[in-house]
Amino acid sequence: MIVVRIPDDAAALACGADAVAEAFAAAGCSVERLSSWGMHWLEPLVEIDGTGWGPVTAADVPTILDGTSSKCIGPIAAHPFLARQQRLTFARAGRTRPLSLEDYVATGGWTALTRARSLPPEQIIAEVTGSGLRGRGGAGFPAGIKWQTVAGAAGARKFIVANADEGDSGTFADRMVLEGDPFALIEGMAIAAQAVGAGRGYIYVRSEYPHAIAKLNVTIALSAQIIAPFEIELRIGAGSYVCGEETALLNSIEGKRGEVRAKPPLPAIQGLFACPTVVNNVLTLAAVAHILQPGGAELYAGIGIGKSRGTMPTQLAGNIKHGGLFEAPFGVTLRELIYDIGGGTASGRPVKAVQVGGPLGAYIHPDQFDLPFDYEAFSAADALIGHGGIVVFDDRADMQKMARFAFDFCAAESCGKCTPCRIGSVRGGELLSRVNEPEARAALGDLLEALQFGSLCALGGFTPYPVRSAMTHWPEDFA
């Protein structure tokens, strides 16, 4: 019997993967549902004996089975999009059944946790620190330092919180882990708990991810005995963007209004329920399960560029021909990502701008495309890596409208806790309407400075990035 492998990832489902699976089953094939390879422009991507076809519809099934289909892409693993990657966090993508403990164990699952349990906590933290792992959710703060702070903090209870509130435009890597390799997140959280002495963990995921939520519920139940006495609970967010900020997220878990807390105290000292708390992004915790493998920390530290070590799962989205997830060591340039890997725009028109780091990331001009993917390089260019989302725009984009969107987005999503964000975002839109008046432009500059340095969190603090970059690189759109 022919075995056909089809992803059950949300992107594949949205493209009709279930109908394709039903058509193959009706044709007498055995169908397995796997995680996604991350080549989203080819979804639904069908695999038979390592060979792929995509994008496939139910009508394509007869020609695939009789060998006459024109949608064959050859061996999937040899596809240039995959062959150029170095997958660590997404090593299982496209290869395993997401809810199969058997598949997870067969691909090295739980060996990192077993090893961590044989080590003193300080050595676990030393290996995470030595690997150079930094947070993949925004600021890129060193994970090992955060763990060390929590381990050394006084508290009767300590917590591990996985921030799965993936709300940035053009980002889907967290969702792919949650749906495709959820045991890796569980293992990473259990290792973190072992390192800092935490007895309980929470996964905070947004309600817009129903497939991820369903899989996490199953995964938590299946792994409960393996990670015991550590326990994990799932909490569902209502969709507030600001709850991606760690203190607002903690408030939400506690059942309070999802608004930002003033810092200090830091969550590592006084976080969830006023106890020391590790708050890490999904990609950060999933990487831990690789780093704690024998030799994993050395391998991770040995790749990358500068202080940005390991790999970064970038997400190519927007007006791009080959949209999907591309994991490679830090240092790859935007030009390579957009043209060599992404294939340029889907429209075939010239690229005008890319936004990296979500809706509050800077707009990057084509003259800057040789910028390497590196935290320090982006910071020096007054830009952000954030969660690694790259959204491409062609030459039809109106950059004044894009700048206005940043203010509108900030106004809509502000928690209201601080004045610069709550009021400044509204005043910014008003000033942008009169940007050609000298007084208005001067006032806008002052306002952007107040937002950047006076806001309590990154929502208001990062809003100036897209506005300034749009005005600097495309002044003709503000005429």
Side-chain angles (χ1 to χ4, degrees), residues 129-465:
T129 303
S131 72
L133 177 66
R134 297 170 68 169
R136 296 292 190 262
F141 189 81
I145 294 178
K146 183 179 289 188
W147 289 22
Q148 182 64 63
T149 304
V150 174
R157 297 185 299 166
K158 296 180 181 181
F159 296 99
I160 308 297
V161 174
N163 182 351
D165 191 62
E166 186 174 50
D168 284 350
S169 50
T171 58
F172 44 83
D174 283 1
R175 179 190 59 74
M176 286 186 62
V177 171
L178 300 176
E179 293 182 5
D181 195 11
F183 289 114
L185 171 60
I186 302 296
E187 186 172 11
M189 292 179 70
I191 292 170
Q194 187 77 17
V196 305
R200 191 169 188 84
Y202 291 87
I203 302 173
Y204 185 89
V205 61
R206 56 181 38 241
S207 58
E208 292 91 338
Y209 280 179
H211 302 292
I213 291 168
K215 287 185 174 179
L216 283 171
N217 279 320
V218 176
T219 303
I220 291 170
L222 288 174
S223 59
Q225 295 302 315
I226 298 172
I227 65 172
F230 181 60
E231 298 178 339
I232 292 178
E233 183 176 336
L234 189 62
R235 290 293 177 92
I236 313 302
S240 168
Y241 181 81
V242 80
C243 283
E245 195 278 337
E246 60 181 4
T247 62
L249 181 152
L250 296 177
N251 271 349
S252 183
I253 292 177
E254 292 177 5
K256 300 174 183 175
R257 177 184 173 89
E259 63 180 13
V260 176
R261 301 176 184 176
K263 292 185 285 189
L266 297 172
I269 304 296
Q270 190 174 322
L272 189 63
F273 305 118
C275 298
T277 305
V278 170
V279 184
N280 279 144
N281 168 265
V282 170
L283 296 181
T284 310
L285 290 164
V288 169
H290 168 78
I291 289 170
L292 264 291
Q293 297 275 356
E298 293 80 4
L299 172 63
Y300 211 79
I303 57 178
I305 180 174
K307 296 180 180 178
S308 301
R309 312 312 304 172
T311 61
M312 181 66 192
T314 57
Q315 298 124 89
L316 305 177
N319 190 342
I320 193 162
K321 187 176 181 181
H322 297 153
L325 182 131
F326 187 88
E327 183 180 0
F330 282 98
V332 61
T333 67
L334 279 174
R335 191 176 305 279
E336 292 175 277
L337 288 167
I338 296 164
Y339 294 109
D340 298 347
I341 297 158
T345 62
S347 64
R349 300 176 68 93
V351 176
K352 181 172 185 176
V354 298
Q355 188 176 32
V356 182
L360 302 179
Y363 291 104
I364 298 177
H365 191 277
D367 291 346
Q368 300 173 285
F369 282 1
D370 289 320
L371 191 66
F373 229 69
D374 164 56
Y375 286 108
E376 279 65 40
F378 266 67
S379 179
D382 209 23
L384 308 166
I385 283 181
H387 192 43
I390 300 174
V391 181
V392 179
F393 301 87
D394 71 14
D395 59 354
R396 294 171 291 185
D398 184 330
M399 301 311 293
Q400 184 176 19
K401 290 183 178 179
M402 304 307 292
R404 179 178 297 279
F405 172 77
F407 282 128
D408 292 344
F409 181 85
C410 182
E413 295 293 344
S414 175
C415 74
K417 184 70 174 286
C418 68
T419 302
C421 179
R422 182 182 69 251
I423 298 178
S425 54
V426 178
R427 295 294 172 260
E430 296 170 354
L431 290 170
L432 201 58
S433 299
R434 300 187 291 114
V435 72
N436 288 313
E437 301 175 16
E439 289 184 1
R441 183 175 284 264
L444 181 59
D446 292 341
L447 175 67
L448 292 175
E449 185 174 358
L451 273 166
Q452 183 171 355
F453 299 106
S455 298
L456 271 176
C457 81
L459 177 60
F462 285 172
T463 296
Y465 282 87

